[in-house]
Amino acid sequence: MKRKLVPFIIMMLSLFLIAGCAEKSENIADSAGLTSFETQDIYGEVKDQDIFQDYSLTLVNVWGTFCGPCLKEMPYLGELQKEYEPKGVNIAGIVVDVQNQDLEMITEQQELAKEIATTTGAEYTHLIVSEEIINSVLNQFDAIPASFFVDSDGNIVSEFYIGAKSKEDWVEIIEENISNQ
């Protein structure tokens, strides 16, 4: 199965690099969501859909260590995670470039992702890619940063937000999604 994913992963990462960031939103009604997956975070800890269960909403932000706009918005997301967690809203990241074509961790990239999370203050959970995450979410868009909201079960409850946002933009988007619950 992993061998069949190699061309897909190469294509997805190429699209991320080529497409860059866009200022648009996309409907993701066809996505399966993050209701069933198992992966690791950037620290090697096993994670699954249970990371969402304590929150009414989780903003999931897909990013890469190579993506300038991704890195620019991460401090805002770190601040917002601290501000909104008491309100039942969490933030989680999915980093797309810390693994090779066989989904094996690249140590240097893993260390870079940890350093970025720490230096930007985005010290929330950062997941790495798994087959389930590719099949349920990552195949739905072609640019990063890409963000969306899930409920406590991992069901996607918003559109995709493509492109970096300011803190003020994220506050507006988060408040709108809280209101829609």
Side-chain angles (χ1 to χ4, degrees), residues 7-17 138-139 141-142:
F8 176 75
I9 292 168
I10 291 170
M11 178 192 72
M12 285 299 296
L13 290 176
S14 297
L15 286 173
F16 291 145
L17 290 169
L138 295 185
N139 62 0
F141 57 91
D142 60 3

Side-chain angles (χ1 to χ4, degrees), residues 49-153:
Q49 65 280 353
D50 290 343
I51 66 169
F52 308 125
Q53 70 184 4
D54 294 333
Y55 304 96
S56 58
L57 281 175
T58 298
L59 171 61
V60 179
N61 177 258
V62 182
W63 66 282
T65 62
F66 62 87
C67 174
C70 299
L71 305 182
K72 182 178 178 183
E73 78 177 346
M74 288 177 72
Y76 308 139
L77 296 174
E79 291 172 15
L80 291 167
Q81 193 274 333
K82 291 175 183 137
E83 293 170 20
Y84 277 91
E85 187 175 31
K87 299 176 183 180
V89 178
N90 195 29
I91 297 179
I94 299 174
V95 61
V96 296
D97 64 341
V98 297
Q99 295 156 281
N100 67 19
Q101 296 171 350
D102 294 323
L103 297 181
E104 296 167 350
M105 193 74 73
I106 302 169
T107 305
E108 298 81 17
Q109 287 297 105
Q110 178 186 18
E111 292 305 315
L112 179 58
K114 290 181 202 177
E115 180 183 329
I116 289 169
T118 300
T119 59
T120 62
E123 295 181 329
Y124 42 82
T125 300
H126 294 278
L127 304 172
I128 63 168
V129 174
S130 69
E131 290 181 26
E132 296 95 348
I133 291 173
I134 291 169
N135 294 332
S136 65
V137 178
L138 295 185
N139 62 0
Q140 300 291 317
F141 57 91
D142 60 3
I144 59 173
S147 302
F148 55 93
F149 289 87
V150 297
D151 65 14
S152 60
D153 295 320

Side-chain angles (χ1 to χ4, degrees), residues 73 76-77 80 163-173:
E73 78 177 346
Y76 308 139
L77 296 174
L80 291 167
K165 309 281 185 258
S166 68
K167 184 175 180 182
E168 294 76 23
D169 289 342
W170 276 123
V171 167
E172 186 177 320
I173 292 167

Side-chain angles (χ1 to χ4, degrees), residues 156-169:
I156 297 177
V157 295
S158 74
E159 60 192 77
F160 268 134
Y161 301 95
I162 306 296
K165 309 281 185 258
S166 68
K167 184 175 180 182
E168 294 76 23
D169 289 342

